[in-house]
Amino acid sequence: GNSVTQMEGPVTLSEEAFLTINCTYTATGYPSLFWYVQYPGEGLQLLLKATKADDKGSNKGFEATYRKETTSFHLEKGSVQVSDSAVYFCALRETSGSRLTFGEGTQLTVNP
Amino acid sequence: DGGITQSPKYLFRKEGQNVTLSCEQNLNHDAMYWYRQDPGQGLRLIYYSQIVNDFQKGDIAEGYSVSREKKESFPLTVTSAQKNPTAFYLCASQSGGRSYNEQFFGPGTRLTVL
């Protein structure tokens, strides 16, 4: 079956530090890949997505590239802010599927 | 504004009582989903519905029930058979069946069973 593995958290960084959150996946076919963000006490919001190999999704300074050869979709940001503190979820959906498969989430805390 | 509403935001119930969580969307989406989130864990799919009057079990459907009588509404009932119902419940919707279509999430309902 499909699965998504995220790096274990929590991750704590200082403001303006570089962020990487690793995400690898197992799936058949050519899934679409997503990063969602959840701020405390809220629902999830789509951060970015990529639908085919070598696509780069980007939003709000965050980027992730769909790497089929390494089955990865790592999230990066060059300079984090305190407001980026949240839980980040990597997810995939198969081409023919209607369900999202989520990773376990990575808690990010950015200190001033 | 289009979106998904869940009510109430906080819900308290006594053990052994059934409780229904509301989820409404005005995005004209065909598909709707219910997830459960426990502290420090990812999302687990409870039920989903791709069209009105049809729904499928997710990974943890035991102790839950749903209905989909209207496109806009997908209520979730947490029954007394659910052994550990205290959790954060998230509803989501999606347009169409394309794999790249995003799911939109509601703000969630935090259920506490006393």
Side-chain angles (χ1 to χ4, degrees):
Chain A
N2 300 335
S3 68
V4 176
T5 303
Q6 290 183 233
M7 67 183 287
E8 291 188 15
V11 174
T12 303
L13 296 173
S14 297
E15 206 165 22
E16 299 183 3
F18 184 86
L19 168 71
T20 300
I21 300 178
N22 290 340
C23 171
T24 57
Y25 68 90
T26 301
T28 56
Y30 300 92
S32 293
L33 302 174
F34 304 83
W35 276 102
Y36 281 85
V37 58
Q38 183 180 33
Y39 298 101
E42 298 183 8
L44 277 67
Q45 304 172 26
L46 180 69
L47 182 59
L48 53 85
K49 67 180 181 183
T51 60
K52 61 182 186 298
D54 300 324
D55 266 1
K56 177 186 282 188
S58 61
N59 185 25
K60 300 181 181 179
F62 291 89
E63 294 182 338
T65 301
Y66 188 145
R67 300 286 188 202
K68 189 158 180 65
E69 63 275 15
T70 55
T71 61
S72 65
F73 193 53
H74 305 321
L75 183 68
E76 297 182 336
K77 187 175 185 182
S79 176
V80 294
Q81 306 300 312
V82 172
S83 57
D84 294 326
S85 297
V87 180
Y88 292 81
F89 291 94
C90 186
L92 71 81
R93 182 185 298 114
E94 289 270 23
T95 304
S96 59
S98 61
R99 299 177 42 160
L100 278 173
T101 299
F102 286 91
E104 293 195 354
T106 301
Q107 171 77 56
L108 170 67
T109 301
V110 180
N111 295 319
Chain B
D1 286 337
I4 302 175
T5 56
Q6 291 186 244
S7 60
K9 189 168 180 63
Y10 299 95
L11 189 55
F12 297 89
R13 280 294 182 269
K14 292 184 179 179
E15 194 170 342
Q17 289 182 334
N18 290 358
V19 60
T20 297
L21 281 58
S22 168
C23 177
E24 304 278 333
Q25 55 99 358
N26 60 4
L27 299 168
N28 199 34
H29 287 171
D30 292 309
M32 298 186 74
Y33 305 79
W34 274 107
Y35 295 92
R36 170 181 171 139
Q37 186 178 24
D38 293 285
Q41 296 189 28
L43 279 67
R44 292 184 289 170
L45 183 64
I46 305 173
Y47 269 99
Y48 63 105
S49 167
Q50 294 180 271
I51 56 172
V52 174
N53 292 323
D54 188 41
F55 48 83
Q56 289 79 40
K57 293 182 179 180
D59 301 320
I60 56 165
E62 185 175 351
Y64 299 97
S65 66
V66 293
S67 62
R68 186 83 187 278
E69 297 176 1
K70 298 187 300 182
K71 189 175 185 178
E72 303 79 23
S73 179
F74 191 41
L76 173 73
T77 297
V78 184
T79 75
S80 57
Q82 168 50 232
K83 295 191 185 332
N84 185 16
T86 294
F88 189 51
Y89 291 87
L90 287 161
C91 179
S93 70
Q94 178 186 324
S95 172
R98 300 285 186 184
S99 66
Y100 49 76
N101 289 349
E102 68 175 281
Q103 284 189 10
F104 291 80
F105 284 80
T109 292
R110 187 167 299 280
L111 173 65
T112 302
V113 175
L114 306 171

